[in-house]
């Protein structure tokens, strides 16, 4: 029987490979083979067939080489692609070509092997489960496999903790490390909320405590079955300062032993105080290090306060705080003041404690860090986590929506139309002076002339976010799908301050929006989909900004999907600071697609409507962001551009753009391993998005926040300049970024020349070479295709994404693009010269003739 299964799988894979390689593809034969292969694999994990598979070592190895190394998955993916592009009729893709579904199928197979009765005394079954699990990690969907294994073993029926631990022990050391890291991802995505990091209030720590302790119980179960180096793996992961949720840091520290916490504390404290970290590490990474350090200080202080006292009075801490206070980065100085205050309050007497002056927002953040040092978490039980998982499943939206059926009334309910009653009214010749009423306005809902064919159960627009999720996942009814796309942005913005429904379901909704397809060929699909993502970012910027940024460099997304995420972040950043697209008529409570049907349906006259909407728009935006602490009116910034106030007016809305959008993107770029292999299409849009966010975030404080932005953006552009030389679109984007830096920083050219002389010199040298090469006949290499800019160009219509896949636009477009590059390069050189002259005048006491 086993040989028969292997023969069917092997022959199907071989035949599919041959058919797919043929130029004249037999689509019907390909679809038939793919269906039969999926049927065979679906029944593989039956108990009797699993016994036969694992009983013969050589046949089991052959089975693993076919299903666990990606051969079946790659062939299935190719078949899905061929059938979806070459077939006239829409063919639904099979699960064997979908990476996530295939990984879940492998996970269910691992669970079947683990649940065998004889696994406690049968080493062969345990070895087979470990081999299947270890091999499956190589297909690139480790997170899905681990999530399926953990949820099936622990939360479906009786918790099988021993089986899970035996499986982990059967893995090799490097496979145990992958399992451990994927468990952290599963805990973070499944059980931990975004509220603690989105809005930093001290009360969030206590609210998340039950979930964190339950998750710590799961992590303790996994770590107790791993090798002795598991603590080193966790410490190394923390020292890399991934921008994870604070709750995940609490979970990891909760399962560590006291000695492990002390070792981690010394290493994190040294990293936080290191000069290179202060000067060159991304702001996002420094904030993560500060959170980990405060948690470690609090945990160690409760068990060994003497150790914290000695480290607090060491040269590492004192020099670190001094270096941070002397830093040009506003955020680095703030973290230094916060850390000095937190540590001093723990170890010093009241009369000897450090004191600093904080503004209102900084005081709130200081209180958040102080409460973080008092957090005490312990590992909970798996039963608590199981109950938490059940609550999450209750909140989780359904995957499908039933198509509404228009039921005909029963015969017994049908009534015959009665004869019309004719009333004769005698006309009165005398004029009574009454003015007749005008005819009523037509109603589109009552436009059906024949009442017998009128549809009385038309689908209505979603009212709850959960309904919106279900509507967006319905690909059977075009009317429901279109309703969700049209009314989704309005619903999201309306739910921004109404309860916790949007906050709880925002990640799931964002995932659905990113993966949306266009099964009904809607003309405005891309605009509506983009408006939904923008609405999520604008409604919950603190939580969803970092979430969307992580999808640019991680996850299983296409190039077009990642570009659409970047476009949405740029558009949301502009809207948050008040620079909305007037041509779309988009306000806080509206979105694309709402022009023809606004709420309420009867609008005021144009003059009054414009008066009231424009007057209240910024007030509505301020009210929406009150929970995040971003309440400074934008009108002051708009007015400052015309009236030139004597002092800099702080715009905390722009500061929110920097913290939620700009810094997560730049930080993930420097810490992500995928940044070195990123597509050129993504690279050009990524640079353009950063330039737009840099321009939007710069008004937050020209004297405080601008150095942080420059320290992140300028080195990134300099590091990418050589990668962009041979690509016209990327070259245009990076030149636009350099020019944006000089334009935004033009308010204080002398300071710019004094503080960033090295960066200016490197920029001028490279841009001069590019300009000379452009003058000499172009930047493209011999024989290399010249690409047009993506439709989301910062210099063009940033909102459009319909042309993302149009890589080549012909020689005329390339020539015009090279002309734009030449103009941008000239603008950068002129701006750099002005900065150099301003600095020279300052050095010579205002003498401009030298």
């Amino acid at each position: 029987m086993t040989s028969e299964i292997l023969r069917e799988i092997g022959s199907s894979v071989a035949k599919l490979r041959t058919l797919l390689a043929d130029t004249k593809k037999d689509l019907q034969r390909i679809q038939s083979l793919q269906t039969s292969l999926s049927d065979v694999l679906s029944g593989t994990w039956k108990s009797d067939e699993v016994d036969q598979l694992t009983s013969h070592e050589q046949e089991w190895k052959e089975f693993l080489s076919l299903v666990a190394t990606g051969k079946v998955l790659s062939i299935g993916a190719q078949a899905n692609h061929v059938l979806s592009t070459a077939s006239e009729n829409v063919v639904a893709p099979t699960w064997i070509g979908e990476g996530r579904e295939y990984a879940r199928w492998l996970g269910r197979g691992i669970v079947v092997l683990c649940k065998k009765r004889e696994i406690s005394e049968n080493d062969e079954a345990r070895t087979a489960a470990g081999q299947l699990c270890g091999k499956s990690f190589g297909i690139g969907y480790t997170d899905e496999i681990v999530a399926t294994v953990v949820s099936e073993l622990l939360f479906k029926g009786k918790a099988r903790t021993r089986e899970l631990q035996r499986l982990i022990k059967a893995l090799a050391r490097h496979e145990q490390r992958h399992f451990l890291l994927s468990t952290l991802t599963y805990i973070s995505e499944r059980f931990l909320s975004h509220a603690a990091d989105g809005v930093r209030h001290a009360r969030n720590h206590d609210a998340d405590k039950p979930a964190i302790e339950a998750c710590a119980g799961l992590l303790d179960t996994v770590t107790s079955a791993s090798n002795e180096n598991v603590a080193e793996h966790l410490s190394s992961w923390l020292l890399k300062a991934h921008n994870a949720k604070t709750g995940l840091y609490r979970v990891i520290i909760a399962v560590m032993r006291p000695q492990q916490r002390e070792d981690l504390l010394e290493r994190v404290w040294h990293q936080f105080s290191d000069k290179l970290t202060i000067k060159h590490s991304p702001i996002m990474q420094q904030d993560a290090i500060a959170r980990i350090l405060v948690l470690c200080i609090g945990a160690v202080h409760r068990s060994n306060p003497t150790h914290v006292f000695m480290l607090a009075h060491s040269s590492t801490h004192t020099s670190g705080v001094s270096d941070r206070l002397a830093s040009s980065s506003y955020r680095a100085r703030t973290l230094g003041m916060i850390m000095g205050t937190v540590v001093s309050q723990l170890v010093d007497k009241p009369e000897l404690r450090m004191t600093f002056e904080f503004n209102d927002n900084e005081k709130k953040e200081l209180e958040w860090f102080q409460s973080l040092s008092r957090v005490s978490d312990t590992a909970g039980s798996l039963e608590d986590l199981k109950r938490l998982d059940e609550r999450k499943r209750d909140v989780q939206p359904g995957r499908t929506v039933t198509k509404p059926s228009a039921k005909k009334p029963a015969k017994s309910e049908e009534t015959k139309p009665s004869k019309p009653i004719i009333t004769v009214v005698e006309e009165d010749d005398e004029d009574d002076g009454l003015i007749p009423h005008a005819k009523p306005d037509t109603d589109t809902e009552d436009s059906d002339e024949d009442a017998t064919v009128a549809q009385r159960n038309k689908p209505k627009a979603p009212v709850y976010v959960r309904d919106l999720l279900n509507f967006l996942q319905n690909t059977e009814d075009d009317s429901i799908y279109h309703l969700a796309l049209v009314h989704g942005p309005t619903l999201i913005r309306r739910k921004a301050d109404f309860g916790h429904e949007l906050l709880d379901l925002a990640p799931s909704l964002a995932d659905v929006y990113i993966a949306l397809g266009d099964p009904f060929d809607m003309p405005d699909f891309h605009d509506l989909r983009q408006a939904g993502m923008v609405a999520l970012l604008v409604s919950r910027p603190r939580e969803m900004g970092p979430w969307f940024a992580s999808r640019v460099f991680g996850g299983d997304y296409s190039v077009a999907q990642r570009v659409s995420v970047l476009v949405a972040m740029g558009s949301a950043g502009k809207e948050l600071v008040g620079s909305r697209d007037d041509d779309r008529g988009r306000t806080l409570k509206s979105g694309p697609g709402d022009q023809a049907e606004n709420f309420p349906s009867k609008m005021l006259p144009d003059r009054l409507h414009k008066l009231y909407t424009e007057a209240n728009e910024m007030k509505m935006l301020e009210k929406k962001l009150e929970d995040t602490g971003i309440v400074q009116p934008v009108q002051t910034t708009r007015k400052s551009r015309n009236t030139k106030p004597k002092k800099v007016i702080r715009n905390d809305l722009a500061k929110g753009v920097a913290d939620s959008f700009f810094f997560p993107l730049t930080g993930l770029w420097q810490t992500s391993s995928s940044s070195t292999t990123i597509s050129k299409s993504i690279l050009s849009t990524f640079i353009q998005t950063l330039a737009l966010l840099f321009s939007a975030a710069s008004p937050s404080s020209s004297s405080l926040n601008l150095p942080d932005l420059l320290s992140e953006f300028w080195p990134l552009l300099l590091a990418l300049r050589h990668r962009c030389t041979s690509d016209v679109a990327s070259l245009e984007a990076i030149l636009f970024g350099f020019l944006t830096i000089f334009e935004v920083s033009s308010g204080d050219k002398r300071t710019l020349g004094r503080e960033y002389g090295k960066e200016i010199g490197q920029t001028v040298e490279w841009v001069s070479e590019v300009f000379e090469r452009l003058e000499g006949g172009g930047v493209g290499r011999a024989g290399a295709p010249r690409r047009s800019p993506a439709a989301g160009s910062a210099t063009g219509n940033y909102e459009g994404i319909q042309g993302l896949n149009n890589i080549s636009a012909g020689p005329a477009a390339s020539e015009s693009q090279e002309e734009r590059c030449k103009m941008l390069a000239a603008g950068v050189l002129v701006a750099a010269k002005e900065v150099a002259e301003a600095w020279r005048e300052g050095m010579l006491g205002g003498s401009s003739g030298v």
Side-chain angles (χ1 to χ4, degrees):
M1 184 66 177
T2 305
S3 60
E4 183 179 352
I5 293 177
L6 285 177
R7 190 181 306 110
E8 290 182 4
I9 296 175
S11 61
S12 299
V13 170
K15 292 176 182 178
L16 278 173
R17 184 180 292 111
T18 303
L19 290 173
L20 292 172
D22 190 3
T23 55
K24 298 180 180 179
K25 294 179 174 59
D26 189 349
L27 301 180
Q28 185 175 2
R29 179 63 174 163
I30 291 175
Q31 185 176 3
S32 176
L33 283 172
Q34 191 183 35
T35 303
S36 62
L37 178 59
S38 63
D39 293 339
V40 172
L41 292 176
S42 297
T44 302
W45 303 131
K46 295 179 180 179
S47 58
D48 54 343
E49 296 179 357
V50 169
D51 293 337
Q52 296 177 6
L53 279 172
T54 57
S55 59
H56 300 84
E57 181 179 358
Q58 186 61 33
E59 293 177 346
W60 175 247
K61 289 182 178 179
E62 293 179 6
F63 177 78
L64 291 179
S65 66
L66 284 174
V67 302
T69 58
K71 293 182 180 179
V72 174
L73 177 61
S74 61
I75 289 296
Q78 293 180 37
N80 284 344
H81 177 71
V82 170
L83 292 175
S84 62
T85 56
S87 178
E88 295 181 357
N89 300 323
V90 179
V91 179
T94 57
W95 63 270
I96 62 174
E98 301 290 333
R100 294 183 178 180
E101 293 298 326
Y102 190 82
R104 295 187 183 101
W105 173 79
L106 288 173
R108 290 191 291 270
I110 298 169
V111 171
V112 169
L113 293 175
C114 290
K115 286 184 177 180
K116 292 183 63 177
R117 294 180 179 178
E118 63 273 16
I119 191 171
S120 57
E121 59 272 353
N122 187 357
D123 293 336
E124 178 181 297
R126 188 165 68 244
T127 303
Q131 289 176 347
L132 178 60
C133 185
K135 285 280 188 180
S136 301
F137 287 168
I139 67 174
Y141 293 90
T142 309
D143 294 343
E144 284 76 11
I145 295 173
V146 172
T148 303
V149 171
V150 172
S151 62
E152 293 283 342
L153 286 178
L154 299 183
F155 307 136
K156 298 291 183 63
K158 180 182 177 181
R160 300 176 180 269
T161 307
R162 296 178 59 188
E163 284 78 0
L164 178 62
Q165 291 180 336
R166 289 193 179 102
L167 170 64
I168 297 173
K169 290 179 180 178
L171 299 175
R173 288 194 173 187
H174 68 281
E175 294 169 351
Q176 289 183 358
R177 182 175 180 273
H178 291 314
F179 196 100
L180 176 64
L181 298 181
S182 295
T183 303
L184 296 179
T185 303
Y186 173 69
I187 289 174
S188 177
E189 296 292 335
R190 178 65 179 170
F191 301 106
L192 301 181
S193 67
H194 299 260
D197 297 299
V199 183
R200 292 189 169 181
H201 291 310
R203 61 177 180 269
N204 291 336
H205 301 319
D206 296 332
D208 293 341
K209 187 177 180 63
I212 288 171
E213 291 187 343
C215 294
L218 171 59
L219 185 60
D220 184 62
T221 301
V222 174
T223 55
S224 60
S226 303
N227 58 72
E228 63 276 4
N229 295 326
V230 62
E232 181 62 28
H233 294 331
L234 292 175
S235 299
S236 300
W237 187 88
L238 288 173
L239 289 171
K240 290 181 180 178
H242 297 277
N243 189 36
K245 300 174 184 176
T246 304
L248 187 59
Y249 299 149
R250 293 172 58 181
V251 169
I252 296 174
I253 295 175
V255 301
M256 284 186 167
R257 299 175 181 176
Q259 184 60 42
Q260 296 170 350
R261 294 173 182 171
E262 293 179 7
D263 296 339
L264 176 64
L265 174 61
E266 295 180 7
R267 298 169 66 181
V268 174
W269 213 324
H270 177 77
Q271 185 176 4
F272 181 79
S273 304
D274 184 63
K275 290 184 178 181
L276 294 178
T277 301
I278 298 172
K279 187 175 181 180
H280 298 292
S281 293
I283 297 298
M284 181 188 68
Q285 189 175 7
Q286 295 189 40
D287 185 82
I289 295 173
R291 286 179 282 157
I292 297 171
L293 178 57
V294 170
L295 286 170
C296 290
I297 289 174
V300 175
H301 186 265
R302 286 186 291 272
S303 60
N304 189 1
T306 305
H307 188 69
V308 177
F309 180 84
M310 294 177 61
L311 291 175
H313 292 83
S314 64
S315 59
T316 300
H317 176 62
T318 54
S319 62
V321 173
S322 300
D323 292 338
R324 286 191 171 273
L325 294 178
S327 174
S328 60
S329 171
Y330 168 71
R331 185 59 182 167
R333 294 196 304 271
T334 303
L335 290 176
M337 293 189 297
I338 290 175
M339 195 59 59
T341 303
V342 171
V343 174
S344 181
Q345 289 183 350
L346 287 176
V347 301
D348 293 336
K349 297 179 180 180
E351 63 273 10
L352 299 177
R353 290 175 181 173
M354 290 185 181
T355 56
F356 298 96
E357 293 184 1
F358 296 95
N359 58 37
D360 293 339
N361 290 335
E362 293 169 350
K363 286 180 181 178
K364 292 180 181 179
E365 190 171 16
L366 174 62
E367 294 174 357
W368 186 83
F369 273 98
Q370 289 173 338
S371 62
L372 194 63
S373 66
R374 296 188 293 268
V375 166
S376 178
D377 301 312
T378 57
S381 64
L382 291 178
E383 291 298 326
D384 297 334
L385 191 63
K386 186 175 181 180
R387 287 192 291 269
L388 181 61
D389 181 75
E390 291 174 355
R391 291 197 297 268
K392 291 286 185 180
R393 292 181 187 275
D394 293 339
V395 176
Q396 194 73 14
R399 297 297 301 172
T400 58
V401 176
T402 57
K403 187 175 180 179
S405 59
K407 296 182 180 179
K408 296 182 179 180
K411 293 183 179 180
S412 59
E413 298 177 355
E414 294 181 356
T415 57
K416 296 181 180 180
S418 58
K419 295 182 179 180
I421 300 175
I422 303 175
T423 304
V424 179
V425 180
E426 297 181 358
E427 296 183 359
D428 190 358
D429 296 337
E430 297 181 0
D431 188 4
D432 54 3
L434 298 177
I435 301 176
H437 290 287
K439 293 182 179 180
D441 295 335
T442 58
D443 193 343
T444 56
E445 296 183 358
D446 298 332
S447 59
D448 293 328
E449 296 180 359
D450 191 353
T452 60
V453 299
Q455 186 178 356
R456 299 302 180 188
N457 58 344
K458 293 181 179 179
K460 297 181 179 180
V463 180
Y464 301 100
V465 178
R466 190 181 305 177
D467 296 337
L468 176 61
L469 268 170
N470 292 331
F471 279 29
L472 289 173
Q473 292 170 348
N474 179 19
T475 57
E476 298 179 358
D477 193 325
D478 59 341
S479 59
I480 291 179
Y481 199 71
H482 188 262
L483 272 177
L485 286 173
V486 171
H487 296 277
T490 307
L491 176 62
I492 292 170
R493 294 168 186 264
R494 196 165 60 236
K495 292 287 185 177
D497 296 324
F498 189 79
H500 294 276
E501 185 185 13
L502 181 61
L503 181 61
D504 295 337
L505 297 177
S508 301
L509 186 60
D511 259 331
V512 171
Y513 264 114
I514 294 176
L516 275 184
D518 188 12
F520 304 108
D521 294 330
M522 298 180 181
D524 52 352
F525 168 78
H526 293 289
D527 291 338
L528 295 175
R529 170 174 170 264
Q530 203 71 15
M533 291 190 287
V534 172
L536 280 170
L537 285 163
V538 172
S539 301
R540 308 297 309 186
R542 293 285 190 183
E543 297 85 7
M544 299 311 298
W547 190 94
F548 272 100
S550 65
R551 267 52 187 177
V552 177
F553 305 104
D556 186 20
Y557 301 105
S558 65
V559 172
Q561 288 171 341
R562 298 180 198 273
V563 170
S564 66
V565 169
L566 289 169
V567 172
M569 295 186 71
S571 302
K574 292 194 302 179
E575 184 175 346
L576 279 175
V577 297
S579 177
R580 66 182 179 88
D581 298 320
D582 295 329
D583 58 332
R584 288 180 176 270
R586 188 182 309 166
T587 63
L588 186 63
K589 299 294 183 183
S590 65
D594 294 341
Q595 297 92 327
E597 187 179 351
N598 291 282
F599 182 84
S601 59
K602 300 301 181 183
M603 297 174 58
L604 293 171
D606 293 340
R607 179 178 59 84
L608 295 176
H609 177 75
K610 183 178 180 181
L611 175 64
Y612 281 100
T613 55
E614 291 187 355
N616 293 328
E617 178 184 350
M618 297 314 304
K619 293 182 180 179
M620 294 159 61
L621 186 60
E622 294 161 25
K623 183 179 182 300
K624 176 181 63 64
L625 295 175
E626 280 181 357
D627 290 338
T628 63
I630 308 174
V631 296
Q632 184 71 21
V634 176
Q635 291 95 330
T636 56
T637 303
R638 288 181 171 177
K639 185 178 179 181
S640 64
R641 296 175 183 171
N642 300 324
T643 59
K644 296 181 180 180
K646 296 180 181 180
K647 63 179 181 179
V648 176
I649 297 179
R650 189 181 179 89
N651 181 358
D652 286 331
L653 283 173
K655 185 179 183 299
V657 173
D659 295 338
S660 303
F661 298 162
F662 185 84
F663 290 135
L665 281 175
T666 56
L668 287 170
W669 169 265
Q670 298 186 43
T671 57
S672 175
S673 58
S674 62
S675 60
T676 57
T677 59
I678 194 171
S679 169
K680 290 183 178 180
S681 300
I682 302 177
L683 182 61
S684 60
T685 311
F686 173 72
I687 299 172
Q688 293 163 0
T689 302
L690 286 180
L692 286 174
L693 293 175
F694 178 85
S695 178
S698 57
S700 59
S701 178
S702 60
S703 61
L704 296 178
N705 206 46
L706 186 57
D708 292 346
L709 298 170
L710 288 173
S711 63
E712 296 276 331
F713 193 34
W714 213 331
L716 186 146
L717 292 178
L718 291 173
L720 292 175
R721 65 188 188 276
H722 297 298
R723 291 180 57 180
C724 302
T725 303
S726 59
D727 182 71
V728 184
S730 300
L731 178 63
E732 181 181 359
I734 201 169
L735 289 172
F736 177 73
F738 282 131
L739 187 59
T740 302
I741 288 177
F742 285 109
E743 289 182 353
V744 170
S745 308
S746 60
D748 193 357
K749 297 179 181 179
R750 294 182 181 179
T751 304
L752 185 67
R754 182 178 66 252
E755 299 291 339
Y756 299 94
K758 178 182 178 181
E759 288 80 0
I760 293 175
Q762 294 177 350
T763 302
V764 170
E765 181 182 2
W766 179 76
V767 174
S768 299
E769 295 176 359
V770 171
F771 187 79
E772 293 176 0
R773 197 156 51 245
L774 287 168
E775 288 286 338
V779 298
R781 293 179 180 175
R786 297 184 177 183
R787 301 168 56 252
S788 66
S793 175
T795 56
N797 182 12
Y798 190 76
E799 296 295 332
I801 60 171
Q802 292 85 346
L804 292 176
N805 298 323
N806 297 332
I807 301 301
S808 178
S814 298
E815 292 177 2
S816 62
Q817 193 172 10
E818 288 188 2
E819 289 296 326
R820 291 197 300 270
C821 290
K822 190 186 301 183
M823 294 175 61
L824 288 171
V828 172
L829 295 176
V830 170
K833 182 180 180 181
E834 293 177 353
V835 171
E837 291 178 351
W839 173 80
R840 189 180 297 113
E841 290 180 3
M843 291 294 293
L844 299 178
S847 176
S848 59
V850 180

